[in-house]
Amino acid sequence: MATFFMAKSTPRSSNIGSSSASPIVKLADDHLFTIMLLLPVDSLISFAMTCKRFRSLTTSDTLWESICRREWGSTSVDAFKSSINTNNNQQLPWMRLYKQVSQLDSFSCHKLPDPDSDLMLPTPRASHSLNFVSDCLVLFGGGREGGRDLDDTWVAYIGKDFQRMLKWQKVTSGIPSGRFGHTCAVIGENLVLFGGINDRGMRQNDTWVGQVVLSENLGITTLSWRLLDVSSIAPPPRGAHAACCIDKRTMVIHGGIGLYGLRLGDTWILELSENFCSGTWIEQVAHPSPPPRSGHTLTCIEGTGTVLFGGRGLGYDVLHDVWLLQASEDQLKWVQMLYNLQDIPEGVSLPRVGHSATLILGGRLLIYGGEDSQRHRKGDFWVLDVSKIPSIKEQSTPLNSRGLQANMWRRLKAKGYKPNCRSFHRACADHSGRRLYVFGGMVDSLLHPAEASEMRFDGELFLVKIELETGAVRC
C-alpha cells in the first residue's frame, strides 16, 4: 500500500490521440469515473500510470471520497465529515486521508477528565456493556468486587465535542435485572441486550430493547428498557458469549458459557420486527463452524461479513483463530481465515480472551487488551484487516505468504496516556470510527501487580483517537 501513493510517477505515454490508442481513451470523463469506481485501489493506481489524463482523473478528491465510501461505508464517511469543522463547500483531501488510514501505525490515547467530585460516577466493574448510540455512551451492568452483579444503567452525552468533561447520569429503571457477561448490540437507534450471568451463577436467555431519548437542551430525558417478545423459542441460557448487529433489524450471537459451565459453539440469529416490539430467534447450523468458546468477540464489517476472534476454548486454552460469517446463497456460512502465528511479527502475543474488537475508520478491527492462558493481562493494540485477503474462501492450508500476513495483522503504537493492562473491559467507537471509548475491566492489583491472580476492578474511562492531517486542519 505504501507504494500506491508515490506521487508524480511518470506516465507510460501521453499520446492519447493517435489512431492506435485504446478505445477507452475516447470515453468521456464521467464514464471513466464510473469505471474507476469499480476498480480495486491497486488497479486504480496502475491505471493512473498510463497517461497524464488518467493520472489527473485518478487524483480527484471527488473520486477518492467515493472510494472511501465504498471501502469505509457511507455512515463512517458522513460522520467523519460532520466531526471536523470545515466550510461546507471545502473539499477534503480524500486521497491523502485514504493513504493515512490505510498506513495507520499509531494513535493517541487520552484519559478523559473526571467531572466534579460531587457528581456520581459508575462504580468499577468488568464484563459489563458499553455502547455508543444516539450520540451517547450507555453503560449497563457488569460484575464488581465480591462477585456481585450490577443492574445499573448510566448515560453520558457525547455529541460532537468529544473532549468535553463527561457527565454520567444514572437511569433508575430497575430493569433488566443485574448481570454480567451479557451482550448489548446497537441496531439503529436501539440497544438489544441478551443473556448474562447473575451473582447466583444463573445463566439468562432473556432479550431486552433499550432506547435513549434526548431533551432539547441535550440533557438525558429517558432511557427505557423493555422485554422483547420472542415467543417460546430462544437460545439456551448463557453468559460470556459474543454478539453484534449484522443488518438493520438482525443480530447474531455465538458461543458462551451455558448451564453447568459448559462452553457452547452454537450460532443464533435474532430477526426483529419493524417496530422492535417482537423478534424471532433462529438457530444457524453450518459446517464448518467455530469450536465452542467464551470471552471472544464478534464484529460486523460492512460489505465484508462478521469477524469472530479469540476466546477461551473447551480445554481452557486461549485461542487466536479468526472466522468470517458471510451470506452465501441466502444462507450464512462460516469460513476460517487460517494463518501462522510465527509468521507475524510479535504474533506470539495474539491469543487472548476478554479482549475488545471494535470497528474503526477504514473498515478495520482494533483489538485491545485481554488476557492469556496464564491470566496475564494485556495492554497492546492490534489492527486486523480482513480486506488484505485477496479471496475469502475455504482454505485447506494456512496462508503461507509472510507479506500477506504482515498486512493482515499490524501492531499499533499508543502515544500519550498509558492505561493499565486490562481484560474483560468494554470498548465502543463513535459513528466515524475515529474515536474509541474504553471503560472498566480487570487490571493488576496495586499490592501485587506481578501476580496474575491478583487483580482489581477498574472504573477508568479513556479515549483512543486516530489522528489525521487534512491540510490546514488536524482532526
Side-chain angles (χ1 to χ4, degrees):
M1 182 67 72
T3 59
F4 287 179
F5 301 94
M6 294 177 63
K8 308 303 181 184
S9 56
T10 304
R12 296 174 186 170
S13 172
S14 60
N15 182 16
I16 64 173
S18 69
S19 59
S20 61
S22 170
I24 195 171
V25 303
K26 301 178 182 179
L27 293 178
D29 288 355
D30 55 344
H31 292 159
L32 287 171
F33 189 91
T34 301
I35 293 172
M36 289 186 293
L37 281 178
L38 301 175
L39 297 177
V41 172
D42 314 48
S43 302
L44 185 64
I45 302 303
S46 298
F47 184 70
M49 297 175 66
T50 57
C51 69
K52 293 179 179 179
R53 177 191 172 205
F54 290 173
R55 174 162 186 81
S56 176
L57 291 173
T58 55
T59 55
S60 161
D61 281 314
T62 300
L63 171 68
W64 282 95
E65 179 179 354
S66 298
I67 292 172
C68 290
R69 288 185 181 277
R70 181 187 74 187
E71 300 197 5
W72 303 352
S74 292
T75 300
S76 182
V77 170
D78 289 338
F80 173 76
K81 291 175 69 174
S82 66
S83 68
I84 58 178
N85 297 319
T86 60
N87 187 302
N88 290 333
N89 296 322
Q90 178 182 348
Q91 178 66 272
L92 291 171
W94 288 104
M95 185 174 178
R96 183 192 305 173
L97 289 170
Y98 185 94
K99 175 184 177 181
Q100 291 180 65
V101 171
S102 64
Q103 298 176 356
L104 182 69
D105 63 0
S106 65
F107 56 86
S108 62
C109 196
H110 312 267
K111 182 178 180 180
L112 294 179
D114 293 328
D116 299 336
S117 57
D118 294 338
L119 297 177
M120 290 193 303
L121 294 173
T123 57
R125 65 191 68 204
S127 298
H128 47 287
S129 58
L130 181 71
N131 301 96
F132 187 88
V133 60
S134 301
D135 291 328
C136 296
L137 290 180
V138 178
L139 170 69
F140 171 76
R144 57 176 175 170
E145 296 287 352
R148 307 292 294 178
D149 61 41
L150 292 161
D151 64 354
D152 50 350
T153 302
W154 296 78
V155 182
Y157 178 74
I158 299 290
K160 297 179 181 179
D161 187 8
F162 76 98
Q163 290 182 330
R164 63 180 289 156
M165 188 175 295
L166 297 186
K167 293 184 179 180
W168 288 102
Q169 177 176 334
K170 187 176 182 179
V171 179
T172 55
S173 63
I175 51 176
S177 60
R179 63 191 70 198
F180 54 86
H182 56 282
T183 55
C184 192
V186 176
I187 305 182
E189 296 298 315
N190 295 276
L191 297 170
V192 180
L193 183 149
F194 173 78
I197 306 172
N198 65 20
D199 53 16
R200 299 183 301 279
M202 293 180 59
R203 275 64 170 167
Q204 320 262 20
N205 69 340
D206 49 350
T207 308
W208 295 82
V209 173
Q211 189 172 37
V212 176
V213 179
L214 298 176
S215 66
E216 292 183 358
N217 61 358
L218 301 182
I220 307 302
T221 55
T222 60
L223 189 149
S224 59
W225 291 104
R226 54 184 172 80
L227 185 64
L228 186 70
D229 178 13
V230 295
S231 68
S232 60
I233 299 177
R238 69 191 66 204
H241 52 285
C244 72
C245 163
I246 61 173
D247 203 348
K248 293 181 179 179
R249 294 197 302 273
T250 309
M251 182 178 76
V252 60
I253 70 165
H254 175 271
I257 301 176
L259 300 176
Y260 312 111
L262 178 67
R263 283 184 171 79
L264 305 171
D266 51 349
T267 303
W268 289 76
I269 298 293
L270 174 64
E271 295 182 349
L272 292 147
S273 64
E274 187 172 356
N275 56 8
F276 282 72
C277 288
S278 63
T280 303
W281 283 105
I282 304 170
E283 185 174 9
Q284 302 289 310
V285 180
H287 300 284
S289 61
R293 68 191 65 207
S294 62
H296 53 302
T297 51
L298 277 176
T299 315
C300 184
I301 301 179
E302 182 179 349
T304 299
T306 300
V307 179
L308 180 152
F309 173 68
R312 192 184 300 278
L314 288 175
Y316 215 66
D317 293 330
V318 172
L319 308 171
H320 66 274
D321 51 344
V322 177
W323 291 77
L324 187 67
L325 182 65
Q326 289 183 308
S328 175
E329 298 178 354
D330 297 327
Q331 292 184 340
L332 292 176
K333 179 181 180 181
W334 284 107
V335 179
Q336 186 174 8
M337 300 166 59
L338 299 169
Y339 64 95
N340 294 316
L341 280 180
Q342 59 267 30
D343 292 334
I344 301 173
E346 301 181 88
V348 67
S349 67
L350 275 175
R352 62 193 63 209
V353 59
H355 55 281
S356 59
T358 312
L359 182 65
I360 61 172
L361 184 66
R364 296 161 174 81
L365 295 190
L366 181 62
I367 294 170
Y368 166 61
E371 59 186 50
D372 61 20
S373 56
Q374 284 76 45
R375 303 194 72 179
H376 294 123
R377 281 159 284 283
K378 299 173 179 286
D380 51 350
F381 290 85
W382 288 81
V383 162
L384 171 60
D385 188 355
V386 296
S387 70
K388 297 299 182 184
I389 305 293
S391 178
I392 297 175
K393 57 185 178 180
E394 281 193 75
Q395 305 163 26
S396 57
T397 57
L399 299 171
N400 54 17
S401 168
R402 186 183 300 269
L404 176 62
Q405 293 178 17
N407 286 333
M408 176 180 167
W409 286 103
R410 184 186 304 170
R411 187 166 180 172
L412 300 188
K413 300 175 183 178
K415 299 179 180 179
Y417 178 66
K418 302 296 183 184
N420 291 317
C421 298
R422 66 193 61 229
S423 59
F424 298 98
H425 55 283
R426 292 296 182 261
C428 63
D430 67 0
H431 296 308
S432 72
R434 202 162 55 91
R435 299 171 184 133
L436 182 81
Y437 299 89
V438 182
F439 180 85
M442 306 299 304
V443 298
D444 293 334
S445 168
L446 294 175
L447 296 178
H448 305 286
E451 297 293 330
S453 59
E454 294 290 333
M455 53 189 176
R456 61 185 173 86
F457 291 83
D458 188 61
E460 180 179 62
L461 175 68
F462 63 91
L463 172 75
V464 175
K465 184 186 177 189
I466 299 174
E467 303 285 356
L468 299 173
E469 295 283 353
T470 62
V473 180
R474 182 176 178 84
C475 56

